[in-house]
Amino acid sequence: MNHDRAKMLLPAYADRQTGPLRRFLLGRHIARCPSCLAELETMHAMRTAMRINLPMHRAPPSLAMRIGTALPREAPPSIRWRPMRSGMAGSALAGGLAGIALTVAVTQLSPQPDTLIADVVSDHVRSLMADHLTDVATSDRHTVKPWLSDRLDLSPVVKDFAIEGYPLAGGRLDYVKGHRAAAIVYRRDKHVINLFAFVSDDRSELAPRQLALNGFNVVRWRMDGLSYVAVSDVEASQLLAFARLVMGGP
Amino acid sequence: MPHLDAAFNLARWLTGNTADAEDVVQDAYLRAFRYLDAFRGDNFRVWLLTIVRNSFLDWLKDNRSGRNLFQPAPADLESTDPNPTPEAMLLDRVDGETLSILMARLPAEYREVLILREIEDLSYKDIAAVTGLPAGTVMSRLSRARLALRKAWTENEKKS
Ligand SMILES: [Zn+2]
């Protein structure tokens, strides 16, 4: 690769945004070209300086509360794909949504995402955003379990796995595909795990299946006539380990 | 609330102050919440940052004339060759306060790509999604932004 071409592509090299072949050819040129090497080092130094010295502005604690208060308390569970309001047209958001609509059209060419999974991931995000994680907030399973059983005609597994690193945080009533569901809330470090339990038409046993959607990991299974779906942004292996704890397995 | 710090940091760098950043972020999260069901991308953070940026643009329309923001950068920034002296050593010495001031003086279109790339570590594809830039122009925009920051930096060093 000649110098002019290499110099033009240096940012992509520094940002690790090239394919392996181009990366190899660039690397070979840089090793022999002091000018490109100096330029690369400057780019790296700049990034380091920005990451270390540029103040990270953290959201003030009051902001999450302020947003939580402003959000609608309960979103209607049955309405999906709400039509865009005409009043929004012309705003920058409309432009943004046009982009999203395009994304939707493209992704639907690939196999349809499991609507149940899309539903629980949406519920998970909603619970985080609305700061409405729990209706009953306690690590005491003897409080959470009867609380849920009293309100739903089902009795899901509720245990505290604090020793294993998944402390129980509480419970909440939610909806999955329009049916009432128990949402049992656990924590893993700073992450939240929502475990949904509900009665499905198919009550046969189902071994755990791992999926990922929208950057969230999902594990679903059926046991004792109940469907369980665990959703979180923890690593897939950690979520699977959590699911096995709930199943009472090794 | 997911990715609140990332959203706030971007809004803070775009608006330049905490109060306006809070308004922009609140507006963005309300929008995100309302249109949550429309989200079918593969990266929630990228989707949120896109909405933060859209909220910022609307905030600009409502609150400011928009001068000095999202205007084409002066031509000299685009054509100047980077200083061939070993700047890497200079860059190591800059303090956070100076860096903040230099960043704040850059056009918003440069600030946003720098934050998205260097702080948020987004790929070119994701930066294109957030900013609405054609994917092929993200690299050149970033190059110009870096060059502008380096230029400001070098000039600042000369003065002091
Ligand atoms: Zn070279």
Side-chain angles (χ1 to χ4, degrees), chain A residues 3 6 29 33 36:
Chain A
H3 172 73
H29 170 84
C33 175
C36 279

Side-chain angles (χ1 to χ4, degrees), chain A residues 1-8 10 26 29-37 39:
Chain A
M1 189 177 291
N2 69 37
H3 172 73
D4 286 346
R5 176 114 182 104
K7 191 181 166 188
M8 196 192 82
L10 266 182
L26 275 164
H29 170 84
I30 293 161
R32 293 182 310 214
C33 175
S35 159
C36 279
L37 184 63
E39 180 67 17

